Amino acid sequence: MLVVEISQPGGPEVLTPAERPIPEPGPGEVLIRVAAAGVNRPDVMQRKGAYPPPPGASDLPGLEVSGVIERVGAGVTEWRGGDAICALVAGGGYAEYCVAPSPQCLPVPRGLDMIAAAAIPETFFTVWTNVFEGGRLQAGETALFHGGSSGIGTTAIQLAAAAGSVVYVTAGSDAKCRACEELGATKGINYRTVDFVEAVRLLTNGRGVDLILDIMGAPYLDRNLRALAMGGRLVEIGLMGGSEAPIDLRRLLARRLTVTGSTLRPRSVEEKGTIADALRQQVWPLLEAGTVKPIVYRTLPLRSAAEAHRLMESSEHIGKIVLTVL
Ligand SMILES: NC(=O)c1ccc[n+]([C@@H]2O[C@H](COP(=O)([O-])OP(=O)(O)OC[C@H]3O[C@@H](n4cnc5c(N)ncnc54)[C@H](OP(=O)(O)O)[C@@H]3O)[C@@H](O)[C@H]2O)c1
């Protein structure tokens, strides 16, 4: 089968088309004939050598795919050959065939094509578990999502707005801010021209927001704490600006703040299966009704994965970049 491998840590040019044997599904796994594979920022980090696959995972990049089940492994009863699915995987998505644990597969939502379906798993699993589980966002609360136009951001905006929360986002241009507002954000804050702490203060009449989903890490830590309301939660899911920063603990005590975070990839199949069940119950109806949708910015053929990474690193995109295989 055709795959794209990381020949060595480096720039987009290290993404190299190659031939490999089709993998075998083990017990509890399915073999997927891949139609499309989503590209995510963690793939870029893996390519640079900064995010190695967890033990036992494929060394190939690619954390999500859509396609048709070719074969099921021993003990799989919920799926069979021919089913159209999308799946969260711990690696191996940049390939014509990919193996996925059965609990991490979900049906392609009615009304969506394979390209849209491939753009769902990584950001929907991540947003669900960090915004609604870890971050405990409730209807009527306010949230600030950094990187509103990212794959994660465009998902978080729609899910939080659908859940009845007021959403603010930061983004790097006025055009991106407008795109986020069209998706349901009450206000986009252009972080290049406006201080987001001050903007949040004005937008919330001095109260602050209940939840911040952060992707920048260190350089935003203190400003994030200052932008939170009493009882506010800061959830770290990305450290694009660095991981170590001083913290003034008085801010936590004075306003009963919570700082937490998580990464999805190393979590167990069982935990990911639990998230998949929640998505199927609570989010699949929204996807099938068109209330929320994956935002696909551009598709490129699998062989052009290097170009897809260049595009992602340019930050020109709004939403997701998807590799097409079939
Ligand atoms: N913890 C987890 O389980 C998990 C899972 C998936 C993703 N993530 C993380 O979530 C983040 C978003 O991932 P994604 O796949 O959605 O990526 P993405 O679409 O490439 O989004 C990254 C966003 O970051 C912004 N950005 C880039 N460089 C920046 C900088 N120097 N300063 C400020 N903003 C910058 C860009 O928008 P602007 O033009 O507005 O700057 C871009 O929209 C990444 O940090 C990724 O590692 C975490």
Side-chain angles (χ1 to χ4, degrees):
M1 65 171 180
L2 171 69
V3 304
V4 170
E5 16 176 77
I6 300 170
S7 58
Q8 62 185 76
E13 69 285 353
V14 305
L15 291 170
T16 314
E19 288 284 324
R20 286 205 188 172
I22 294 173
E24 277 297 317
E29 294 180 335
V30 304
L31 177 67
I32 304 162
R33 184 170 168 76
V34 176
V39 177
N40 293 282
R41 190 64 67 148
D43 306 349
V44 172
M45 289 158 51
Q46 179 174 342
R47 191 204 71 216
K48 290 178 174 170
Y51 194 50
S58 167
D59 65 313
L60 297 173
L63 300 174
E64 58 186 353
V65 296
S66 65
V68 172
I69 293 187
E70 181 84 4
R71 218 167 49 244
V72 303
V76 173
T77 52
E78 57 276 52
W79 304 109
R80 54 185 180 183
D83 285 348
I85 56 153
C86 55
L88 179 78
V89 291
Y94 290 17
E96 284 180 311
Y97 290 87
C98 177
V99 159
S102 161
Q104 293 172 210
C105 300
L106 285 153
V108 171
R110 269 189 305 278
L112 294 194
D113 61 19
M114 285 290 185
I115 288 169
I120 294 173
E122 177 68 10
T123 65
F124 279 72
F125 277 69
T126 300
V127 168
W128 185 263
T129 192
N130 287 288
V131 170
F132 298 103
E133 293 176 345
R136 307 187 307 278
L137 185 66
Q138 305 291 318
E141 287 194 325
T142 49
L144 173 67
F145 301 135
H146 290 301
S149 63
S150 64
I152 291 283
T154 52
T155 302
I157 292 168
Q158 296 183 78
L159 287 180
S165 302
V166 176
V167 176
Y168 304 120
V169 300
T170 59
S173 71
D174 291 343
K176 284 185 167 187
C177 287
R178 270 196 305 280
C180 294
E181 288 164 4
E182 277 161 24
L183 286 174
T186 298
K187 180 73 184 160
I189 302 163
N190 181 343
Y191 69 83
R192 294 188 200 276
T193 56
V194 177
D195 170 27
F196 74 81
V197 181
E198 181 58 13
V200 162
R201 199 181 63 75
L202 292 173
L203 287 163
T204 60
N205 295 320
R207 182 179 172 277
V209 290
D210 299 296
L211 173 86
I212 298 178
L213 186 67
D214 181 64
I215 59 173
M216 291 311 297
Y220 275 14
L221 177 61
D222 190 60
R223 276 181 281 169
N224 279 334
L225 297 180
R226 285 195 282 128
L228 281 172
M230 184 71 76
R233 290 86 67 193
L234 169 60
V235 183
E236 296 289 350
I237 61 161
L239 304 169
M240 292 199 305
S243 61
E244 290 185 30
I247 182 167
D248 184 345
L249 293 166
R250 284 173 300 187
R251 298 200 199 289
L252 271 58
L253 273 59
R255 275 177 294 127
R256 301 196 298 274
L257 305 181
T258 303
V259 180
T260 182
S262 75
T263 54
L264 183 62
R265 185 149 80 149
R267 292 174 77 171
S268 68
V269 170
E270 195 187 358
E271 286 175 299
K272 291 173 184 169
T274 303
I275 301 170
D277 291 344
L279 287 172
R280 194 164 181 169
Q281 263 185 12
Q282 308 210 42
V283 175
W284 251 234
L286 300 176
L287 285 163
E288 294 186 341
T291 312
V292 302
K293 53 185 184 301
I295 306 301
V296 177
Y297 181 75
R298 193 169 299 165
T299 62
L300 294 111
L302 175 62
R303 282 183 180 281
S304 305
E307 201 184 318
H309 277 219
R310 274 185 208 105
L311 174 61
M312 176 160 273
E313 286 181 278
S314 78
S315 282
E316 167 200 317
H317 62 294
I318 295 173
K320 300 274 304 188
I321 301 162
V322 174
L323 300 172
T324 53
V325 180
L326 286 181

